[in-house]
Amino acid sequence: MAVTTAQALDDGAALTGLLTAVAAQDRKALARLYETTAPQLLGVIHRLVRRRDVAEEILHDVFLRVWERAASFAPERGSAMAWLVSVARHAALDTLRRRQREVALDEVPSYGDAEDPDPDPYQRMIRTAEGRALAECLDQLETEQRYCIVLAYHEGLTHEELAARLARPLGTVKSWVRRGLQRLRRCLE
Amino acid sequence: MIDEDADDPDLLAGEYVLGTLDPEVRDAFQVRLAMDRDLQARVAAWEARLAPLADAVPPLQPAPAVWHRIAAQIARGQATGPAPGRRPRTPIRPGLWQSLGFWRGWAATATLAAASLAAWLVLAPQPPRLIAVLGAPGEPSWLLTASVDAGELQARVVGPLEAGPRAHELWLVPADAAPISLGVLATDGTTARPLPDPARPLLVPGAVVAVSLEPEGGSPTGQPTGPVLYTGRLVADPDG
């Protein structure tokens, strides 16, 4: 359980091998994959939905989905960890969006259950080559652009929610996000 | 309504991965994504670009019970399942629930009274008819009625359509498989068509349908080639 995602990303071939075995319905491989990646995925999901019980429920769904859909992972398109993270984030975002539609505003999840803010998240991020590249490119963005992108990624905020959080007009926030993404794309080429 | 065609699809893909799209735009994007391989590649590229951000979040150790539940559920061979109340009585092939599970997060079409319909769905064991409104939110263009038992569907024009000589082709968009053509639709009045066999088991509440613009006579490739103009989701017809 001590394997961090950073090491796992460095060891992408091992994760790809596990996912391939999972696609062939190897239960032991799923158990190893879970051991290796579940803590990081739960961290990402929890940061998005802010509730431990909901996050663990989503993690459960994510691994069932991985069990059924591992065959759709295409190694040439990205790393195994990127694929797992995307399955986890979309599951969490689906839950968030559904809740937004179904739950009155005053019932929107409290933030009291959130973990303490992290002193330096970038230290963890820059342990891989991809992480260092992204961190360097994020550094080149304007502060607002960087803030919007990181906040949206981690907290699952829509354009409207970003605008409310930052007390800026919707159009301004949208253009920060888009310009930020454009510059990131160019920088990472 | 968002004019998506005016947008750079690659940036839209980036915003989708980032998660900033508003729910309705996100839904519409997911339908396009299911039908568009180029868009799928763009999304994968953004996922790879942004994935290191996930590392910035501190890991959290899940409670041991989480894995035990996963392992038990897989051992029982019932991986992805719908909420119990939603399971129709019709026997369907096992792969289907994967799709339903995958699409589970989708919202019902905004143009319908979704909440009351959803309540009705839970009570309805086996909807005899399915309906869908296709269009942009608040701008219905087609009303689709599908009777799986009778093996027929009808598409009625109920709003203004994109003009032009090109064909409007209707698709069923499964989550994990290529879209299935349900035929070219007349751009006025009502079109009735038989349901193709492969589509029948997939026509269930929650299934996604879409209309794309194709060359006259329909897509030459059997897969959508033109832009997706209208999307919607099937729900049980409360009067059906």
Side-chain angles (χ1 to χ4, degrees):
Chain A
M1 284 297 193
V3 182
T4 67
T5 314
Q7 287 161 333
L9 272 172
D10 279 340
D11 201 4
L15 275 190
T16 301
L18 281 179
L19 260 187
T20 311
V22 169
Q25 306 288 278
D26 176 342
R27 288 190 210 168
K28 284 200 181 112
L30 186 74
R32 292 263 335 268
L33 188 71
Y34 183 89
E35 253 180 46
T36 313
T37 61
Q40 192 61 47
L41 297 178
L42 184 62
V44 170
I45 296 167
H46 182 261
R47 176 65 66 88
L48 287 165
V49 300
R50 301 279 173 167
R51 270 183 49 181
R52 184 73 186 231
D53 56 341
V54 175
E56 289 191 337
E57 195 61 36
I58 293 171
L59 183 70
H60 172 257
D61 285 352
V62 163
F63 272 87
L64 294 182
R65 218 176 278 195
V66 166
W67 176 248
E68 303 232 333
R69 295 171 42 86
S72 71
F73 163 63
E76 69 278 7
R77 281 186 170 176
S79 75
M81 196 61 200
W83 186 79
L84 290 168
V85 163
S86 83
V87 174
R89 287 190 75 249
H90 284 303
L93 289 175
D94 281 346
T95 302
L96 277 181
R97 302 291 172 258
R98 195 162 55 229
R99 210 186 298 175
Q100 280 160 356
R101 277 182 270 230
E102 290 175 0
V103 176
L105 271 179
D106 56 356
E107 291 177 63
V108 159
S110 88
Y111 286 74
D113 182 16
E115 305 286 297
D116 286 338
D118 205 17
D120 194 1
Y122 287 94
Q123 286 308 314
R124 256 195 311 277
M125 191 172 145
I126 61 176
R127 286 185 304 205
T128 64
E130 294 87 352
R132 278 191 296 278
L134 180 59
E136 276 168 25
C137 289
L138 280 169
D139 275 346
Q140 293 175 24
L141 301 186
E142 281 160 33
T143 309
E144 294 87 356
Q145 296 170 350
R146 178 169 56 242
Y147 190 66
C148 282
I149 286 174
V150 173
L151 196 63
Y153 188 90
H154 286 145
E155 303 204 3
L157 302 183
T158 63
H159 289 130
E160 272 185 36
E161 291 164 335
L162 277 172
R165 177 81 72 91
L166 302 174
R168 289 290 184 282
L170 181 61
T172 306
V173 168
K174 272 190 185 173
S175 91
W176 283 341
V177 169
R178 307 205 109 202
R179 294 221 189 94
L181 287 174
Q182 270 167 333
R183 286 176 64 173
L184 270 189
R185 181 175 60 190
R186 222 171 322 151
C187 177
L188 287 167
E189 256 166 19
Chain B
M1 124 178 219
I2 303 287
D3 184 5
E4 284 172 45
D5 286 345
D7 281 345
D8 173 353
D10 196 61
L11 277 186
L12 206 56
E15 289 173 304
Y16 170 70
V17 171
L18 194 58
T20 51
L21 297 179
D22 294 323
E24 287 72 23
V25 183
R26 179 175 154 82
D27 280 356
F29 183 86
Q30 282 181 316
V31 173
R32 277 178 59 178
L33 186 61
M35 312 226 337
D36 186 338
R37 296 188 77 78
D38 171 66
L39 209 53
Q40 289 161 16
R42 293 176 186 279
V43 164
W46 277 109
E47 276 163 356
R49 283 182 195 117
L50 296 176
L53 274 172
D55 263 350
V57 181
L60 259 185
Q61 199 61 47
V66 179
W67 170 250
H68 294 149
R69 279 201 303 272
I70 294 169
Q73 203 164 339
I74 283 168
R76 287 200 307 272
Q78 327 171 317
T80 318
R86 299 287 294 271
R87 189 188 293 273
R89 259 187 233 143
T90 330
I92 42 178
R93 57 191 182 81
L96 185 58
W97 284 126
Q98 293 174 33
S99 315
L100 281 182
F102 185 73
W103 297 114
R104 201 160 42 177
W106 285 38
T109 312
T111 43
L112 289 175
S116 59
L117 276 174
W120 188 87
L121 275 181
V122 172
L123 303 173
Q126 193 179 347
R129 274 209 319 179
L130 297 165
I131 55 173
V133 175
L134 286 84
E139 288 179 44
S141 296
W142 300 90
L143 176 63
L144 188 71
T145 315
S147 168
V148 181
D149 292 343
E152 195 194 63
L153 71 81
Q154 291 195 338
R156 184 150 57 95
V157 178
V158 293
L161 297 181
E162 204 79 14
R166 291 205 281 169
H168 287 67
E169 188 159 356
L170 179 66
W171 305 88
L172 176 66
V173 190
D176 292 336
I180 299 170
S181 174
L182 300 176
V184 172
L185 305 178
T187 49
D188 55 1
T190 300
T191 312
R193 296 205 150 266
L195 283 174
D197 283 340
R200 289 193 193 198
L202 299 171
L203 283 166
V204 291
V208 173
V209 283
V211 171
S212 70
L213 208 53
E214 300 294 338
E216 216 175 326
S219 161
T221 67
Q223 285 297 301
T225 61
V228 175
L229 298 179
Y230 314 104
T231 61
R233 213 138 75 113
L234 290 167
V235 295
D237 180 357
D239 301 323

